[in-house]
Amino acid sequence: MNEQTAPVTHEGERVLFPPLPYDMRRRSDAAVKDDALRAAVEAATLTKDTARKATFAEAFGERYDALRGLAERIKQHTLDHLDYYLDQFIDHAEAAGATVHYAADAAEANRVCLGIAEREGVRACVKAKSMVTEEVRLLEALQAAGVETLETDLGEFILQLDGDAPSHIVTPMIHKDRASVGRAFERELGAAYTDEPDALTAIAREHLRDKYRRADMGVTGGNFLVAGSGSVVVCTNEGNGTFCASTPRVHVAVVGIEKLVPTFEHAAVLLKLLARSSTAQPLTVYTDILTGPKRRDEHDGPEQLHVVLVDNGRTELLADPVMRDTLRCIRCGACLNACPVYRTVGGHSYGAVYTGPIGALVTPMLKGLTNYPDLPQASSLCGACGEACPVNIDIPHLLVHLRNELNAQRVAGRAERRAFKLYAWVLKKPWRYRWASRLVRFVLRRRADDDGYVTRAPGPGKGWTETRDLPAPAKQSFRQWWKQNKRDEPQRHRDTEVN
Amino acid sequence: MNDPPPTTREQFTGRISRALGKAYAPGHVPHPPAVDDELARVCGDDGDLVSRFAERAAAVGVDVRRCTAGELCEALVDVVDELGIGSALLNTERLRQHRVLGDLLRGHGVELHEWRGDRAMAAGFAADAGITDAAGAIAESGSLVLATDGDHGRAGALAPPVHVAIVPASGVVADLLDWARALDADGGCAPPACRQLVTGPSKTADIEGVLVTGVHGPGRVVVLLIEDQ
Ligand code: SF4
């Protein structure tokens, strides 16, 4: 078994926890040049994005936008009264026999889980996929304490085995191909090499069934916490979450506080959106509603249920009048699949657990804007993410907000600041603008090739033309053209479309 | 190394209250948003719910077979023969026919695993099939509704490679909303430790997006839908 639990890049940098401040450029440049990676990620995300749209059109038709509005209001209402609903949840969960723990930060979340493991004499642990446990690095903490811990989601299992890191919040090994899985199974499990997905899955199944039986502790996340009943809702397609919550004696559910909903009715609305947004399914295959540990008269199930409520920066987000909207996120991954930047640079370029457009918002908020100054820029602001989001998070708007914050904190480089100063000075007087644009036109037209394209722009334009050509400006500016033409035959241009 | 004292409930919720600009958590809050059926309902409760469930369940990969209560034994034997089931975990205590089904399977040479006491999971791992009764079903998504109690374990629907669920037509509801509202209305009663919605066989598409069934849970889910019960 691979003891290494913190995957690193070729440069020896931790994939999800790089040195800070993080420079996105290095990895995204390399990713863009990796044609196989780009093709794989692009194909997978495009398929998902198309399927998502089709399934919503079929199930909700024209009502879809209004439904997103309802989902937004449900999550926002719960967040606005989070203290109230949290109290309700805790009371009900305890009444059902669960033990509730409170983790102010990542370190405390890990301390709580290690404490449970120690008290219960846990030696082997199985773990379902969960973003919050990755955020607090629970796997590393458990392994360091000598608790043999295994990821059970097939993708995460493969990544753990191969010393690789997840790159998508729903389909973690989207960046990996079948041959690398075959090699990892051959090397780490002693299996005969195959690259057939069916056969590979069967190997993993056999290996993991034994682990489920032997584990004393199962760790899962939670997709929702239902305040009205004290239930944890866990969604998986493979059934590994159900195993982790059923076979071991102790079940620990580690859940962020933003997962609360008032009632099952509200959970139902979000469930309707979650699986359709993620994988175009009406529901995930296994939707488990867990309320307390197994009852005295039951024959299987965990004897203990621990719910670890995690804050880890969420209250700060809650107090932020703009960025708090990100707490509505139900981690469906639709914004990643819709994002042209994610498709091109892949998940590891984001240098953090949360990737894609939502990651570009959440990572700087949780880990410091100055530590991740590139992420809010990693968007073309095309708006696809916002349109894909089932809880109506206006991601582009929030990205712009973070860019403004960055500028306000003067994180932007000195050259950039000087350029903007010059730009402002030019714009202040019409004559300055006229002369400046004449100068730019003159320079660029002289550099243009025979086809009318500039392949190497001077000065600050250099970076832009490194990856594409710039069409040379027209001979005349629009203002000059207007001066000459507006009096001549105005009729002629009436039907011409102006672009 | 000394760990700081654990965060208490009061400290934890207190921080949230302060983040929301309050001194402490309020005793009551405005009503949460009403869930409008016009927006959120996918499946109306008029028309032939049973057919709709059968259709949606088939769409998510469930093998649905419709029968009457009188034909149940025959249908079950068909499944056993077809899938070559040599041993099973029988978890159908809610059904009137429970005793009959047990005798039938044993008579047909199927070994029935004892699943009570602490043997439940071991039985699940050993059996070729788990035969369980479902508490109900949801037409919208083609989901089975399962719930645990003294007579209904978790192992049967999870650990064997085949899950055969017996679903009475009277248990089918139209939409996920109907199921959820029934749970909310149940408020006063003690809920079961585990409720499950099972929507198709265990699935993964982690390896290059290729769909594979039976990764951890059953790769095959058969529903025997009893139309007159
Ligand atoms: S931000 Fe919206 S689209 Fe993106 S993962 Fe969260 S809920 Fe899904």
Side-chain angles (χ1 to χ4, degrees), chain A residues 169 329-336 358 385 388-391 393 395:
Chain A
I169 62 181
C329 173
I330 56 173
R331 309 272 185 260
C332 70
C335 57
L336 280 66
I358 186 65
C385 51
C389 179
V391 287
I393 300 173
I395 301 171

Side-chain angles (χ1 to χ4, degrees), chain A residues 63 83 87 91 108 152 155 178 205 209 212 237-238 264-265 272 285 287-289 291 295 299-300 315, chain B residues 7 9 17 38 40-41 117 154-155 159 175 181 184 191 193 195-197 199 202-204 206 208 216:
Chain A
R63 302 176 294 163
D83 48 352
D87 261 339
D91 287 344
E108 189 167 22
T152 58
R178 55 178 83 189
R205 176 183 167 98
R209 279 168 82 79
Y212 290 134
N237 274 323
E238 301 180 356
F264 281 110
E265 193 189 28
K272 277 166 181 263
V285 175
T287 305
D288 298 352
I289 297 106
T291 318
R295 305 293 186 259
H299 302 275
D300 54 14
T315 40
Chain B
T7 303
R9 172 174 177 170
S17 296
E38 301 265 305
R41 179 173 290 279
R154 309 177 196 219
D175 195 278
R181 283 172 184 158
D184 288 331
R195 290 182 208 269
Q196 254 192 319
L197 305 179
T199 311
S202 157
K203 279 180 196 145
T204 183
D206 276 346
E208 290 190 12
H216 301 286

Side-chain angles (χ1 to χ4, degrees), chain B residues 38-166:
Chain B
E38 301 265 305
L39 290 185
R41 179 173 290 279
V42 173
C43 190
D45 52 8
D46 47 332
D48 184 1
L49 279 188
V50 175
S51 295
R52 232 176 299 169
F53 163 70
E55 190 187 301
R56 307 280 166 94
V60 293
V62 176
D63 175 355
V64 186
R65 304 172 182 207
R66 298 168 73 153
C67 62
T68 62
E71 295 159 355
L72 178 62
C73 289
E74 207 182 313
L76 187 58
V77 166
D78 281 351
V79 173
V80 164
D81 287 344
E82 220 178 287
L83 302 181
I85 293 166
S87 71
L89 186 159
L90 184 67
N91 215 186
T92 55
E93 277 74 357
R94 247 188 308 246
L95 293 178
R96 280 204 298 275
Q97 303 98 317
H98 174 61
R99 217 173 266 279
V100 180
L101 293 176
D103 291 342
L104 172 85
L105 289 167
R106 265 187 296 263
H108 208 71
V110 177
E111 182 199 344
L112 294 186
H113 289 279
E114 174 54 54
W115 67 274
R116 286 171 195 276
D118 49 15
R119 311 269 300 276
M121 268 302 160
F125 280 109
D128 292 340
I131 303 170
T132 76
D133 53 20
I138 300 170
E140 170 189 354
S141 48
S143 309
L144 298 169
V145 179
L146 308 177
T148 57
D149 59 28
D151 287 328
H152 293 83
R154 309 177 196 219
L158 181 66
V162 176
H163 176 209
V164 182
I166 302 175

Side-chain angles (χ1 to χ4, degrees), chain A residues 150-201:
Chain A
L150 205 63
E151 293 282 359
T152 58
D153 171 85
L154 180 64
E156 295 275 357
F157 170 71
I158 292 167
L159 293 170
Q160 187 187 12
L161 215 55
D162 209 17
D164 200 349
S167 70
H168 187 288
I169 62 181
V170 175
T171 41
M173 54 166 283
I174 195 167
H175 62 285
K176 256 178 130 60
D177 64 7
R178 55 178 83 189
S180 65
V181 181
R183 285 195 300 272
F185 280 13
E186 191 178 26
R187 192 180 66 234
E188 302 292 336
L189 302 179
Y193 177 85
T194 169
D195 59 8
E196 276 307 310
D198 269 313
L200 290 167
T201 305

